[in-house]
Amino acid sequence: MMHKVIVVDNPETWKIKGANLAIVSSHEYLTNPDWAKARKLRVFNLCRSYSYQSKGYYVSLLAEARGHKPIPTVRNILDVQKPFVIKMISEDMDSLIQRRLKDLRSDEFILSVYFGRNLAEKYDDLSNLFYRMFRVPFLRVRFVRSTSRLWHIKSVRTISAKDIPETHFDFVLRRAEDYFSQKRYGSGKPGAHVGRYAMAILYRDDDPAPPSDWKAIQKFVRYGEKAGFNVDVISVKDYNRLLMYDALFIRQNTHVNNETYQFAHHAQREGIALLDYPESILKINNKVYLAEMLQSAGVATPKTMIVHRRNRHLVESTLNFPCVLKLPDSTFSFGVKKAETGAELEKLIEAMLKKSELLIAQEFIFTEFDWRIGILDGDPLFACKYLMARNHWQIYNWEAKKGSEVSGGFEGVRLADVPPAILKIAKKAVKPIGLGLYGVDIKAVKGRPIVIEINENPNIDEGVEDFGEGDVVYRRIIDAFMRRIVERTGGEAAI
């Protein structure tokens, strides 16, 4: 268990009770070697000043050096002083700021933020956003109204206990007791969900082939809240809000050239718990990389050839007909074509090489269905059979005239009923990649499993991929996020 330590200049000022809670002076924490040796500590720095090389500054700095978990971190302290950060949050929070302050008569307003709260409940949502952005216990935000009658953030600064008005201090002590007993706050509205952590689910309403339908998204929200998350479904326009979250779940079609890669890269850089990883989007999304990786790992695949302009003439003799050509970044059967003749092969290769320097050519193997095995952090998560579209050789036929014939449908299967060889090769296929959420497509040819490809952003639709295992699928994914956060924070709530 991680113990909480409140570091203040004068412990007598702070009469707070709480489990696993110690209140020590900044001098004691900085100079007593016992604190340097202690482990599994969450350090709450409530010193008088966080200015450069002050005691408060060094409390956070040495806490990080000792492997403790400080709030605020030195980076949090410095971020408050950066104009571009203020500009970013000002733009991001603009609509909320205008709504909350529109009825004020004066042209200046000071918001005091104490552990993400304000004395006036109507400002709690605004206060909580500032806390989640900076992770600083006490903040003072100054707003001014321009000649256009719009409110703007003039300044944000950290404040210490000595800056808190005496009339506010009883409120601060009450909030501190709630805060350190891990009571969480949402918007302050009755019935609002309250969680220890904040999770964002990136979702696009107009995604042509979304990896999760809306019913599945709602289940992720529901099970996330049960596990202790405040869950927001966000879109690409919420990029500037990403630092407010502890976890990011990407449920939008991923591609290295679209915004999902930027979201993943930013989240990973900031230490936000994440699925999918940017490395997976970059590499597994590319079938050339995937072919090389599977070959190196000794995973059985269809006979495969990496095609370029100098060896294109060898495809026919190497693979025979029919054969399959794939663009490296094709998904959901887009960019995957079958060649039946030499003329058709030449035409497809010529067109595809205009889009990519390298292509994938594979022997054609027909089966009535593909296995899809979901793998989460190395272990099977779900199993499903994807049936071939009617009178077609793929699970999707995007040229079908009737909507009902675009997809071949599915059969849900319990993991316990999947042939062991199928599960074994699925786990082997993702082992070189490492942790993450993957979907492995497998064909069984005369009882022999062959990996067709790996998806780094597999479908999880309500009533389809969860058919066999039920809601366990959602719970396990939420648990994976919680596990990542606990490992990063040392087992303590992000408060």
Side-chain angles (χ1 to χ4, degrees), residues 36-216:
K37 298 174 185 176
R39 295 293 177 265
K40 293 187 177 181
L41 294 185
R42 169 71 77 184
V43 176
F44 297 91
N45 181 359
L46 306 185
C47 290
R48 289 178 180 271
S49 172
Y50 299 129
S51 61
Y52 184 62
Q53 293 192 344
S54 65
K55 284 184 178 179
Y57 181 87
Y58 277 115
V59 166
S60 287
L61 187 67
L62 294 189
E64 293 185 52
R66 294 168 178 175
H68 301 167
K69 307 295 182 182
I71 289 182
T73 65
V74 172
R75 186 172 133 202
N76 295 147
I77 294 169
L78 295 176
D79 276 351
V80 179
Q81 305 168 18
K82 294 177 180 177
F84 79 88
V85 175
I86 306 302
K87 183 177 184 296
M88 180 181 71
I89 64 172
S90 180
E91 293 172 352
D92 184 54
M93 297 180 182
D94 184 66
S95 60
L96 179 60
I97 291 170
Q98 304 310 322
R99 289 199 309 272
R100 287 290 169 268
L101 307 186
K102 67 178 181 179
D103 296 329
L104 293 177
R105 295 182 178 180
S106 66
D107 291 333
E108 183 175 349
F109 176 68
I110 305 296
L111 179 72
S112 297
V113 180
Y114 306 125
F115 303 108
R117 299 290 300 274
N118 181 262
L119 271 73
E121 286 190 9
K122 67 179 180 179
Y123 299 124
D124 275 352
D125 50 0
L126 197 55
S127 300
N128 191 40
L129 283 175
F130 277 102
Y131 171 74
R132 287 197 174 279
M133 178 64 71
F134 293 109
R135 300 289 191 191
V136 174
F138 307 137
L139 286 171
R140 189 160 289 161
V141 187
R142 181 180 175 223
F143 301 89
V144 294
R145 183 152 44 190
S146 67
T147 54
S148 63
R149 309 305 293 166
L150 294 177
W151 287 95
H152 303 280
I153 300 173
K154 182 68 174 179
S155 64
V156 181
R157 70 180 184 92
T158 60
I159 60 174
S160 64
K162 69 180 179 62
D163 298 314
I164 299 173
E166 188 174 338
T167 55
H168 291 193
F169 209 75
D170 284 345
F171 173 84
V172 172
L173 288 177
R174 292 197 303 272
R175 297 289 71 77
E177 287 190 354
D178 289 342
Y179 182 88
F180 294 119
S181 63
Q182 299 184 12
K183 293 180 182 178
R184 308 304 300 136
Y185 302 98
S187 65
K189 298 177 182 179
H193 174 71
V194 171
R196 290 182 297 163
Y197 305 107
M199 170 185 281
I201 299 178
L202 182 61
Y203 179 78
R204 177 180 165 187
D205 288 326
D206 60 348
D207 207 327
S212 284
D213 61 3
W214 185 243
K215 288 184 178 180

Side-chain angles (χ1 to χ4, degrees), residues 8 11 30 35 52 55 61 64 76 86 175 212 286 290 363 370 391-392 449 491 494:
V8 296
L30 292 173
W35 289 110
Y52 184 62
K55 284 184 178 179
L61 187 67
E64 293 185 52
N76 295 147
I86 306 302
R175 297 289 71 77
S212 284
N286 188 290
L290 190 60
E363 66 174 320
D370 288 352
N391 299 321
H392 194 61

Side-chain angles (χ1 to χ4, degrees), residues 364-397:
F364 174 71
I365 299 174
F366 179 80
T367 53
E368 293 184 351
F369 66 88
D370 288 352
W371 284 100
R372 166 62 65 87
I373 305 297
I375 300 288
L376 176 63
D377 293 343
D379 293 318
L381 175 68
F382 64 80
C384 194
K385 291 180 179 179
Y386 291 165
L387 309 179
M388 297 301 127
R390 185 178 179 183
N391 299 321
H392 194 61
W393 56 279
Q394 296 168 288
I395 62 174
Y396 291 105
N397 180 6

Side-chain angles (χ1 to χ4, degrees), residues 257-311:
N257 288 328
N258 72 17
E259 58 275 354
T260 56
Y261 179 76
Q262 298 304 322
F263 268 81
H265 182 69
H266 187 29
Q268 186 180 63
R269 186 175 63 241
E270 298 299 332
I272 296 169
L274 176 66
L275 288 173
D276 308 307
Y277 296 109
E279 292 86 356
S280 297
I281 297 174
L282 179 65
K283 297 176 180 178
I284 305 307
N285 207 278
N286 188 290
K287 289 177 170 53
V288 172
Y289 173 90
L290 190 60
E292 291 282 307
M293 186 202 76
L294 293 173
Q295 182 179 2
S296 297
V299 177
T301 65
K303 190 173 183 180
T304 300
M305 179 180 174
I306 297 176
V307 182
H308 48 80
R309 294 191 181 278
R310 293 186 177 182
N311 73 348

Side-chain angles (χ1 to χ4, degrees), residues 1-53:
M1 178 181 293
M2 179 167 282
H3 293 268
K4 297 183 284 286
V5 178
I6 302 176
V7 180
V8 296
D9 292 293
N10 180 11
E12 293 299 318
T13 306
W14 295 90
K15 302 296 183 182
I16 304 172
K17 297 179 181 180
N20 304 308
L21 179 64
I23 302 176
V24 302
S25 70
S26 54
H27 178 80
E28 169 79 6
Y29 181 78
L30 292 173
T31 61
N32 188 330
D34 289 341
W35 289 110
K37 298 174 185 176
R39 295 293 177 265
K40 293 187 177 181
L41 294 185
R42 169 71 77 184
V43 176
F44 297 91
N45 181 359
L46 306 185
C47 290
R48 289 178 180 271
S49 172
Y50 299 129
S51 61
Y52 184 62
Q53 293 192 344

